[in-house]
Amino acid sequence: MARIGLTAERLTQAGAELADEVGFDQVTVSALARQFDVKVASLYSHLKNSQDLRTKIALLALEELADRCAAALAGRAGKDALTAFANVYRDYAREHPGRYTAAQLKLDHETAMASAGVRHAQMTRAILRGYDLAEPDQTHAVRLLGSVFHGYVSLEATGGFSHSAPDSQESWSRVLDALDALLRNWPAA
C-alpha cells in the first residue's frame, strides 16, 4: 500500500529539491526513499524507476523555466527580449543547479514533443522574429543562442570565470551585446 501523502507530484518536487542540493546525477529512487524514511518498494506505486524520476524532474524543470521565460518576455522585443530570456536561463541555473542540469536530460521524441521544451523553442523563435531571420538562418540562430547560454552558465557554475577580471556579469553583458549585434547583422548565406 502506498504511503499516505506520497504522490508522483510530491516525489518529483522532492526529487527536484534533492537535485539542487546534491546534484541531479545523485537523484535516485533509493535516495528519495531515504529522504522520506520509507522502503524503496513503497515508491514504485508512484515511480517506475530512477529514470522515470529523472524524467519527471526534467519535465518539471522545463515547465518552470518556460513559465519564467514567458513572464520575462511579456511586452518585450529585440535586444530587451533577448536579454530577458538569457537572464532567465542564467538565473535559473544559479538558483536551481540540479534542475537546470535536469532540463538538459535527453528525452525520447514523444516525451520531448509533449514537454515544455517545445515552448522554449517557440519563445526563442519569437525573439528571433524581431531580428527578421528566415529559415534556415532562424534554426542556426536558435542553436547558437542555446549553445551560448548553456555554455556560459555551465562554465560559470563550475567556477570557470572566477579566476580573473573582469567579473562574470560584465562579460555576460558583453556577450549579450555581441549576440544582439550578430543577430541584427546576420551574415548572408
Side-chain angles (χ1 to χ4, degrees):
M1 180 172 187
R3 181 148 180 154
I4 295 175
L6 291 183
T7 63
E9 293 78 20
R10 184 170 178 214
L11 294 169
T12 300
Q13 187 64 41
E17 291 167 9
L18 185 61
D20 288 338
E21 292 171 23
V22 300
F24 183 61
D25 293 339
Q26 302 302 312
V27 176
T28 63
V29 173
S30 297
L32 207 52
R34 283 191 299 275
Q35 185 173 348
F36 282 98
D37 195 27
V38 298
K39 294 184 189 278
V40 172
S42 67
L43 299 185
Y44 287 128
S45 61
H46 305 291
L47 302 166
K48 295 176 193 169
N49 51 38
S50 290
Q51 186 58 37
D52 182 42
L53 172 61
R54 293 167 55 81
T55 299
K56 288 179 184 325
I57 296 168
L59 294 172
L60 172 68
L62 287 168
E63 190 71 35
E64 289 176 343
L65 198 48
D67 289 346
R68 286 184 180 198
C69 285
L73 287 174
R76 291 188 164 97
K79 183 180 179 193
D80 191 32
L82 176 68
T83 300
F85 191 71
N87 285 337
V88 167
Y89 274 87
R90 186 174 181 223
D91 292 345
Y92 190 81
R94 289 172 156 181
E95 293 169 30
H96 300 291
R99 293 177 212 206
Y100 180 78
T101 300
Q104 311 309 311
L105 183 70
K106 183 175 180 173
L107 302 171
D108 65 74
H109 180 74
E110 186 176 308
T111 303
M113 295 311 294
S115 78
V118 174
R119 286 177 56 205
H120 292 271
Q122 291 168 339
M123 286 184 277
T124 305
R125 288 181 184 279
I127 292 166
L128 293 173
R129 280 194 293 276
Y131 291 97
D132 200 30
L133 295 179
E135 286 299 345
D137 291 329
Q138 192 176 92
T139 296
H140 297 313
V142 167
R143 292 173 181 169
L144 171 70
L145 294 177
S147 298
V148 171
F149 299 161
H150 178 66
Y152 197 95
V153 299
S154 296
L155 288 168
E156 187 175 49
T158 59
F161 305 135
S162 62
H163 304 293
S164 62
D167 77 351
S168 184
Q169 180 57 46
E170 185 177 338
S171 295
W172 179 248
S173 296
R174 297 288 301 268
V175 165
L176 296 178
D177 289 344
L179 285 173
D180 175 63
L182 173 63
L183 293 170
R184 280 187 282 110
N185 299 295
W186 191 264

